[in-house]
Amino acid sequence: MTNATGLTAAEWTAADLLNRFGPILLRRIRQDPAPGSATEQDVIDIHDKEKRLYELVDGVLVEKTMGIQVSYLAVLLAGLLGDFARRHGLGFVLGSDGMARLAPGLVRIPDVSFISWEQLPERQVPRIPMLRFAPRLAVEVLSPSNTPKEMDRKLHDYFEAEVKLVWYVDPVQRTVRVFTAPDQSQLLHENESLDGGTVLPRFVLPLKELFADLGS
């Protein structure tokens, strides 16, 4: 089986993986199914059977990185955004196992995502294992094991799939980088406030509140 890289499953090497994802921890790359051969159904089946989260990129399953602060910030943001979206009738929010098929053979799993009712005119949360379209907002809480190359590729994937807004939350630096395009961003510090832009109008969150309970 070949994929977007032109490599078959048997041809993938550690060097190929490092070239594709940067200096990623190789334990994050699942070997069964072999890199280059994985499918969207594998993502669903592994989650159902093992309760483990893998993104699918070029036929390669890459495990989602988590940690206490990553999980805490994701849950906190999901709650704040979900309450706001529900209160204003804007849509709904998914947490860190909300899978999204951005393109054939490309599955991303934001730590938090917002889906507008404009994308679902029936205004009901669908009973499906994976979104078949991109959310309007994707939030990634950065982990030390994320590589710059990995996150740059993810950023481009989101905007190519027509995500409108992306937040990269850094719990170590206590900053949020807000992207409105891959080459258009603003870095917010702890003494500033995060807002929802045109995606979530009137949503405002002082970053001091977001990071208040994090240990150093």
Side-chain angles (χ1 to χ4, degrees), residues 73 169-177 187-194 205-216:
L73 289 172
V169 181
D170 187 334
V172 175
Q173 298 299 322
R174 301 188 180 215
T175 60
V176 178
R177 185 168 289 278
L187 183 64
L188 301 176
H189 295 86
E190 194 173 5
N191 61 343
E192 298 178 284
S193 292
L194 177 66
L205 173 62
L207 292 186
K208 281 186 178 178
E209 293 183 13
L210 177 65
F211 296 124
D213 294 328
L214 292 188
S216 57

Side-chain angles (χ1 to χ4, degrees), residues 84 137 165 167 178 180 194-204:
F84 180 87
L137 165 67
L165 185 64
W167 296 342
V178 177
T180 52
L194 177 66
D195 68 67
T198 60
V199 174
L200 287 161
R202 301 187 302 279
F203 177 83
V204 178

Side-chain angles (χ1 to χ4, degrees), residues 41-116:
Q41 191 60 46
D42 290 325
V43 176
I44 296 169
D45 290 345
I46 291 168
H47 178 257
D48 289 346
K49 295 173 184 176
E50 303 178 18
K51 307 305 179 188
R52 297 174 73 182
L53 292 171
Y54 287 88
E55 296 184 311
L56 177 66
V57 185
D58 297 331
V60 178
L61 291 173
V62 183
E63 190 165 24
K64 280 281 291 183
T65 60
M66 295 300 290
I68 296 300
Q69 290 191 344
V70 172
S71 177
Y72 166 78
L73 289 172
V75 170
L76 179 57
L77 274 170
L80 293 170
L81 290 167
D83 288 345
F84 180 87
R86 188 167 52 253
R87 194 164 62 249
H88 294 280
L90 298 175
F92 62 95
V93 169
L94 299 178
S96 57
D97 55 357
M99 306 173 190
R101 177 187 183 270
L102 302 186
L106 176 61
V107 177
R108 291 299 191 182
I109 313 174
D111 292 310
V112 183
S113 54
F114 165 70
I115 295 86
S116 169

